[in-house]
């Protein structure tokens, strides 16, 4: 049964030799296409958020800050250190 479920995703984008479709945790061992599509969507979403986080770190290290205050007590964006 597991071999059949793995074969169900062999033609998907990202499945390539020598590993072909690789699911070490067995998250889609049952061959559920909807679950596979949801996990792929979530992975792409988290990857995009991570890229934005890295870009934010680079911009902040470069000394670029948003104008104004971050809260109502008057803490400015510039007063918050990087990291």
């Amino acid at each position: 049964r597991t071999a059949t479920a793995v074969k169900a995703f062999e033609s998907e984008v990202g499945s390539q030799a020598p590993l072909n479709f690789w699911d070490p945790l067995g998250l889609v061992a049952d061959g559920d296409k909807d679950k596979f599509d949801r996990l792929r969507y979530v992975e792409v979403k988290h990857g995009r958020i991570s890229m934005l986080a890295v870009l934010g770190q680079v911009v902040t290290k470069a000394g670029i800050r948003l104008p104004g205050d971050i809260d109502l007590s008057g803490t400015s964006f510039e007063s918050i250190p990087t990291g």
Side-chain angles (χ1 to χ4, degrees):
R1 178 172 161 98
T2 304
T4 305
V6 170
K7 293 284 186 194
F9 304 114
E10 287 293 321
S11 62
E12 293 293 332
V13 174
S15 175
Q16 49 188 300
L19 298 176
N20 296 324
F21 176 71
W22 190 57
D23 183 19
L25 298 177
L27 297 174
V28 288
D30 57 356
D32 185 6
K33 178 72 171 149
D34 290 334
K35 186 175 181 183
F36 177 82
D37 289 341
R38 167 104 171 91
L39 289 172
R40 176 169 278 182
Y41 168 78
V42 169
E43 181 179 9
V44 169
K45 178 180 162 183
H46 289 151
R48 290 176 180 166
I49 291 170
S50 297
M51 288 186 276
L52 285 173
V54 168
L55 180 62
Q57 182 70 14
V58 169
V59 167
T60 304
K61 286 276 190 186
I64 301 170
R65 302 287 200 280
L66 294 172
D69 298 331
I70 195 168
D71 60 13
L72 296 176
S73 65
T75 306
S76 68
F77 284 102
E78 291 183 2
S79 67
I80 299 173
T82 62

